[in-house]
Amino acid sequence: MRSPLLDTPGAVAAETPDADVAGHYGDPFAEQRALLAGEAMVDRSNREVVRISGPDRLSWLNSLSSQKLDNLKPGEATQTLFLDAQGRVEHHLTLVDDGEAVWGHVEPGTGADLVTFLDKMRFMLRVEVADVTADYAVVSVVEAGRLTPPEGTIVVGDDLLLPRDLLAGRLGGLRLAGLWAYEALRIEEHRPRLGFETDHKAIPHEVGWIGTALHLSKGCYKGQETVARVHNLGHPPRRLVFLHLDGSADVLPGHGTPVLNAGEEVGFVGSSARHHELGPIALALVKRTVPVDVPLEAGGVAASQEVIVPPDAGRNVQIDPALRRRIR
């Protein structure tokens, strides 16, 4: 659904799958700084919004997904994953419960599949699932608690589910920041994005979703056997890394660009961006066995790596929180 904010003077559309929102409004670095200062909002209205109501909603979602949700408190934002039987990630949902319903948002183009899956799993339980993307738009800010959002807005951490007819207005007088600004900060903060830092065979351990989107001590759910096996007995085959890219390069390596070590392909670039302080940066998924101190290359651009998921992840080895940037 094309955002009306793309009609703002200076707006330049982002790349697919985000072409329905603005990549920037003329000054990506200034937009990054304004976003960090809490003075800007990012239009992410191409994301899809689902609403799950009914008295059994939390226990039901708890049985289907990776996060412990049966005792989720109203207003407490969290994330959860839906895995296939082999433990591979199929959906990533950012959500909140408002006391009457669970509200969540997912990647563009994935909402219909998630709703279809959930509808098939209702059986006789008292739950209702709806795609409400036509009525609500996702916008993101820094420290949403400082704002007084319009009536009818659902607050999901630093994301706001805004009634879509209010999207064309300026939220609380904030300036507009494009998706380029948001993505640069997301990459800096080591936050993976489904379909970018993941592929069809990605498992949660590889990208650091243990803890943030997956609870290791909850009851059974589809894919749990793989999660438990990696956690207790082995290591994931790949690991997420943060790349500092050579600043002299004119072009950023795009999604899917092979990552090389001494000429050998060892992974792929997930996302890349130009950060207002760090310069060109990226997230990549590489083989676990790649040494943490070797130079890498992506699309002809030299890169040094910073550990996010350590090579010894799994076997009860947890990701050191100090290795993570600020995660929202």
Side-chain angles (χ1 to χ4, degrees), residues 11 30 61 188 212 222 241 261 275 286:
L61 287 172
E188 179 203 7
T212 57
K222 188 166 69 170
V241 298
N261 172 222
H275 190 275
V286 303

mmCIF file of all heavy atoms in Angstrom, residues 11 30 61 188 212 222 241 261 275 286:
data_model
loop_
_atom_site.group_PDB
_atom_site.id
_atom_site.type_symbol
_atom_site.label_atom_id
_atom_site.label_comp_id
_atom_site.label_asym_id
_atom_site.label_seq_id
_atom_site.Cartn_x
_atom_site.Cartn_y
_atom_site.Cartn_z
ATOM 1 N N ALA A 11 10.767 13.650 -1.204
ATOM 2 C CA ALA A 11 10.728 12.227 -0.863
ATOM 3 C C ALA A 11 11.244 11.376 -2.024
ATOM 4 O O ALA A 11 10.872 11.588 -3.180
ATOM 5 C CB ALA A 11 9.306 11.805 -0.496
ATOM 6 N N ALA A 30 21.135 13.989 8.200
ATOM 7 C CA ALA A 30 20.388 14.857 9.117
ATOM 8 C C ALA A 30 19.164 14.129 9.660
ATOM 9 O O ALA A 30 18.785 14.305 10.826
ATOM 10 C CB ALA A 30 19.969 16.143 8.398
ATOM 11 N N LEU A 61 -1.016 -18.348 21.358
ATOM 12 C CA LEU A 61 0.217 -17.892 20.712
ATOM 13 C C LEU A 61 1.448 -18.464 21.401
ATOM 14 O O LEU A 61 2.453 -18.763 20.750
ATOM 15 C CB LEU A 61 0.273 -16.365 20.707
ATOM 16 C CG LEU A 61 -0.663 -15.658 19.736
ATOM 17 C CD1 LEU A 61 -0.644 -14.153 19.980
ATOM 18 C CD2 LEU A 61 -0.285 -15.970 18.293
ATOM 19 N N GLU A 188 23.446 -0.588 12.942
ATOM 20 C CA GLU A 188 24.365 -0.238 14.035
ATOM 21 C C GLU A 188 24.001 -0.974 15.317
ATOM 22 O O GLU A 188 24.880 -1.382 16.089
ATOM 23 C CB GLU A 188 24.339 1.269 14.284
ATOM 24 C CG GLU A 188 25.252 1.720 15.407
ATOM 25 C CD GLU A 188 24.846 3.037 16.019
ATOM 26 O OE1 GLU A 188 23.770 3.564 15.679
ATOM 27 O OE2 GLU A 188 25.606 3.549 16.870
ATOM 28 N N THR A 212 15.792 -12.297 22.683
ATOM 29 C CA THR A 212 14.946 -11.190 22.256
ATOM 30 C C THR A 212 13.632 -11.660 21.653
ATOM 31 O O THR A 212 12.594 -11.011 21.817
ATOM 32 C CB THR A 212 15.679 -10.302 21.234
ATOM 33 O OG1 THR A 212 16.101 -11.112 20.120
ATOM 34 C CG2 THR A 212 16.891 -9.634 21.854
ATOM 35 N N LYS A 222 6.369 -25.608 17.540
ATOM 36 C CA LYS A 222 6.956 -26.180 16.335
ATOM 37 C C LYS A 222 8.372 -25.652 16.125
ATOM 38 O O LYS A 222 8.609 -24.451 16.188
ATOM 39 C CB LYS A 222 6.092 -25.860 15.113
ATOM 40 C CG LYS A 222 6.543 -26.581 13.848
ATOM 41 C CD LYS A 222 5.506 -26.523 12.751
ATOM 42 C CE LYS A 222 5.337 -25.127 12.183
ATOM 43 N NZ LYS A 222 4.505 -25.118 10.964
ATOM 44 N N VAL A 241 27.328 -11.211 11.669
ATOM 45 C CA VAL A 241 28.443 -10.318 11.945
ATOM 46 C C VAL A 241 28.090 -8.900 11.521
ATOM 47 O O VAL A 241 27.265 -8.682 10.618
ATOM 48 C CB VAL A 241 29.747 -10.760 11.246
ATOM 49 C CG1 VAL A 241 30.189 -12.123 11.746
ATOM 50 C CG2 VAL A 241 29.588 -10.759 9.734
ATOM 51 N N ASN A 261 36.297 -14.518 1.932
ATOM 52 C CA ASN A 261 37.499 -14.559 2.763
ATOM 53 C C ASN A 261 38.597 -15.218 1.937
ATOM 54 O O ASN A 261 38.474 -16.393 1.577
ATOM 55 C CB ASN A 261 37.251 -15.332 4.046
ATOM 56 C CG ASN A 261 38.513 -15.571 4.860
ATOM 57 O OD1 ASN A 261 38.725 -16.656 5.401
ATOM 58 N ND2 ASN A 261 39.374 -14.568 4.958
ATOM 59 N N HIS A 275 26.168 5.225 7.697
ATOM 60 C CA HIS A 275 25.863 5.760 9.026
ATOM 61 C C HIS A 275 26.492 7.136 9.180
ATOM 62 O O HIS A 275 27.603 7.374 8.686
ATOM 63 C CB HIS A 275 26.400 4.794 10.093
ATOM 64 C CG HIS A 275 25.957 5.100 11.472
ATOM 65 N ND1 HIS A 275 26.613 6.009 12.285
ATOM 66 C CD2 HIS A 275 24.922 4.616 12.216
ATOM 67 C CE1 HIS A 275 26.006 6.064 13.454
ATOM 68 N NE2 HIS A 275 24.971 5.239 13.436
ATOM 69 N N VAL A 286 27.641 -15.249 7.942
ATOM 70 C CA VAL A 286 28.823 -15.969 7.450
ATOM 71 C C VAL A 286 28.920 -17.328 8.127
ATOM 72 O O VAL A 286 28.281 -17.588 9.146
ATOM 73 C CB VAL A 286 30.119 -15.165 7.697
ATOM 74 C CG1 VAL A 286 30.045 -13.797 7.039
ATOM 75 C CG2 VAL A 286 30.409 -15.022 9.196
#
